[in-house]
Amino acid sequence: MTVHPAPPPSAPGSPSSGPAPSVPVPAARTTAGEAGPHEPQEQADPWPPRVPWAAVAVFVVVAYALAWLVALPLWLGDGIASPLTSLVGVVMMWTPAVAVAVVTLALRVPARDRLRALGTWPLRPVRRTLGFVGLAVVVPVVVVAAVTFLSAALGLVRLDLVTFSGFAAQVEQTLPAGAELPPVGVLVALQLASIPVGALVNSVAALGEEVGWRGWLLPALLPLGTWPALLVSGVVWGLWHSPLILLGYNFGRTDVTGVLLMTGGCVAWGVLLGWLRLRSGSLWPAVVGHGALNAAAGLVLLLAAAGETTDMAVVGPLGLVGWAVLAVVVGVLAATGQLTRRPAPVPAS
């Protein structure tokens, strides 16, 4: 879920540490081969060789049903104007994690090595994992910035990078009558400097989603192929937001248009977050990347000029310009073979 204003270019291969170097391997799943008595043995892939469609169906139904149940107080009350909206949003972000618990514990998919299957543990090789986490902090922010400045270049939004008049007007509305406006430039600098911290803070809630979308659903769909798995998981992710989107959240559109916009945005960002998950072999870069997206999502609102009408369906990171920027980023990843590269399996201890 993307919360705004406050609630990725191709990446170089990251060096690895530990007994197994990170080298490109085929995307197909393999089982462990025979190893000598003094040789490390690679662990077999804990995921089924075919898509577990029954488990996928249960996962989707549970995640969607719980999302609607959590959002029900908003539908019965004041909608997104309710003071409960932020709390509902955070609780809703953990419904995919509950769905993961159901399919792993009740349906036993996967049946073993569940932490490794979900990408949560182990963190080896540490250098590779931390390298991709660092990349996950930076790349979404760069993409959101590119969306903002491209929107301005196309005349879709007018920015004020000198006096930050739009943000100043927002601050003035929160001050008591007669209070002096603090230095706006300093406030903007503090907002920008806090984005990396916000990425980590938002990752706490993002974990609830990512363990579902990129931790469980994406690997479960991989027998379809990398691209189908990325696209289908992105569609499922986008439609899951419907309980809030249909109330006007994110785009201010309360019909199917808002749902389609959110689905398109989630497909685009889902490819990028999915690449972080698959290329690193760990869930944590995708978690932090999701947190960074949420932390930076309101950048255009921070920099817009006073009186500017900002249509997030066009100039927001999930909007149409965002789709175009992400298409370029994903195109670079695809052209360089990054989307099909996988790290070598972590050997058994």
Side-chain angles (χ1 to χ4, degrees):
M1 177 182 303
T2 306
V3 183
H4 64 263
S10 60
S14 299
S16 62
S17 62
S22 174
V23 295
V25 296
R29 290 172 175 160
T30 58
T31 56
E34 295 296 329
H38 302 294
E39 297 176 4
Q41 181 175 345
E42 290 184 353
Q43 297 179 8
D45 192 335
W47 289 97
R50 295 180 178 83
V51 177
W53 287 115
V56 169
V58 171
F59 169 83
V60 172
V61 168
V62 171
Y64 279 36
L66 289 178
W68 278 98
L69 181 62
V70 170
L72 188 59
L74 302 184
W75 281 85
L76 298 178
D78 298 327
I80 58 175
S82 169
L84 296 175
T85 299
S86 295
L87 177 62
V88 166
V90 171
V91 174
M92 184 172 158
M93 292 177 77
W94 278 91
T95 58
V98 176
V100 170
V102 171
V103 292
T104 55
L105 299 179
L107 302 183
R108 299 185 60 78
V109 179
R112 57 184 175 79
D113 294 339
R114 289 166 183 160
L115 294 180
R116 183 167 71 92
L118 297 174
T120 58
W121 191 263
L123 301 179
R124 298 178 296 162
V126 175
R127 288 169 58 190
R128 182 179 71 205
T129 302
L130 292 180
F132 274 95
V133 166
L135 197 65
V137 173
V138 174
V139 174
V141 178
V142 172
V143 171
V144 172
V147 172
T148 299
F149 289 110
L150 178 59
S151 298
L154 295 174
L156 300 172
V157 65
R158 185 168 56 92
L159 304 181
D160 181 357
L161 304 179
V162 179
T163 63
F164 305 103
S165 55
F167 182 65
Q170 296 177 47
V171 175
E172 284 181 342
Q173 293 177 0
T174 65
L175 296 176
E180 184 178 352
L181 182 68
V184 178
V186 174
L187 296 180
V188 170
L190 291 174
Q191 290 281 327
L192 296 175
S194 68
I195 288 178
V197 177
L200 298 178
V201 172
N202 287 330
S203 294
V204 176
L207 173 60
E209 282 196 52
E210 288 303 314
V211 75
W213 313 132
R214 257 65 63 178
W216 192 91
L217 183 60
L218 177 58
L221 295 174
L222 276 181
L224 297 175
T226 300
W227 272 108
L230 290 169
L231 297 179
V232 172
S233 61
V235 170
V236 173
W237 181 30
L239 294 175
W240 169 85
H241 290 85
S242 296
L244 293 183
I245 299 301
L246 290 173
L247 290 173
Y249 195 81
N250 270 356
F251 306 111
R253 289 163 170 80
T254 57
D255 55 14
V256 68
T257 305
V259 175
L260 293 176
L261 285 165
M262 191 67 187
T263 302
C266 285
V267 168
W269 280 99
V271 174
L272 188 56
L273 296 177
W275 168 72
L276 287 170
R277 163 71 169 102
L278 297 176
R279 184 66 183 86
S280 68
S282 172
L283 178 66
W284 299 109
V287 171
V288 175
H290 192 154
L293 167 61
N294 285 1
L299 182 63
V300 66
L301 302 176
L302 182 68
L303 302 181
E308 193 72 3
T309 300
T310 306
D311 188 354
M312 298 299 283
V314 179
V315 302
L318 292 163
L320 300 181
V321 178
W323 298 9
V325 172
L326 284 164
V328 174
V329 175
V330 171
V332 171
L333 292 175
T336 56
Q338 286 287 320
L339 289 175
T340 55
R341 294 179 68 187
R342 303 285 189 277
V346 177
S349 301

